[in-house]
């Protein structure tokens, strides 16, 4: 399985094919323009590491979301060769999911890439069974 992460703008230019799956990550309320994908998972959460009292409507990545990613990727048919993951800018949330998936499928991920969202990555590594220790704001 090959993994690629990118921005939403890049992902919107992709042509859906039977050998590709898409994980679409957006902030809650963001418009998506994806038609024709046979294998697509949509998740809505903010690019944050912890709850911030000044932003009470902040939606954090959760163990339930991690389970949805794991179940989605485990259920993909054999013809799917690529998992494409996008978030708004293609820097943090999608990179964290891609890092986890690269480890899961034995694909390379840049060791020196510093921007993957740690909450997303660590929650996925825990298999969606728990959230990592809370980070301080």
């Amino acid at each position: 399985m090959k993994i690629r992460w990118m921005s939403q703008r890049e992902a919107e230019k992709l042509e859906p094919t039977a050998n590709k799956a898409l994980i679409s990550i957006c902030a809650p309320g963001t418009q998506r323009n994806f038609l024709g994908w046979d294998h697509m998972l949509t998740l809505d959460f903010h690019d944050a590491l912890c709850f911030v009292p000044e932003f009470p409507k902040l939606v954090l990545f959760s163990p339930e979301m991690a389970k949805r990613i794991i179940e989605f990727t485990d259920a993909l048919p054999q013809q799917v060769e690529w998992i494409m993951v996008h978030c708004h800018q293609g820097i943090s949330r999608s990179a964290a999911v891609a890092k986890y998936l690269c480890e899961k499928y034995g694909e390379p991920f840049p060791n020196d890439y510093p921007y993957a969202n740690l909450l997303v990555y660590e929650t996925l590594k825990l298999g969606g069974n728990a959230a990592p220790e809370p980070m301080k704001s």
Side-chain angles (χ1 to χ4, degrees):
M1 188 74 67
K2 303 288 184 201
I3 314 298
R4 181 166 172 229
W5 82 93
M6 65 198 70
S7 70
Q8 183 172 350
R9 181 174 289 169
E10 289 175 280
E12 288 173 349
K13 295 176 185 175
L14 293 173
E15 183 175 330
T17 60
N19 72 335
K20 292 180 199 160
L22 178 66
I23 299 175
S24 174
I25 301 168
C26 291
T30 301
Q31 224 22 31
R32 287 182 171 87
N33 296 310
F34 298 104
L35 299 173
W37 286 87
D38 292 335
H39 311 289
M40 184 169 87
L41 173 65
T42 60
L43 296 168
D44 295 321
F45 62 95
H46 292 104
D47 190 7
L49 300 176
C50 62
F51 180 73
V52 180
E54 296 82 11
F55 300 100
K57 294 185 179 182
L58 193 69
V59 177
L60 294 177
F61 187 74
S62 67
E64 293 77 21
M65 292 178 192
K67 284 182 182 177
R68 289 182 61 200
I69 291 171
I70 293 165
E71 290 168 0
F72 173 76
T73 56
D74 286 349
L76 288 172
Q78 281 190 326
Q79 81 253 26
V80 173
E81 300 169 358
W82 285 90
I83 300 175
M84 320 304 268
V85 186
H86 89 78
C87 63
H88 180 66
Q89 293 189 351
I91 295 172
S92 181
R93 293 170 291 175
S94 59
V97 173
K99 182 176 181 177
Y100 166 78
L101 292 174
C102 284
E103 290 175 3
K104 178 178 179 171
Y105 292 107
E107 291 294 317
F109 186 89
N111 289 334
D112 58 348
Y113 189 80
Y115 304 113
N117 181 305
L118 288 176
L119 175 63
V120 173
Y121 175 69
E122 293 295 332
T123 304
L124 282 163
K125 279 183 61 172
L126 291 171
N129 294 316
E133 289 296 315
M135 298 177 189
K136 304 286 187 217
S137 61

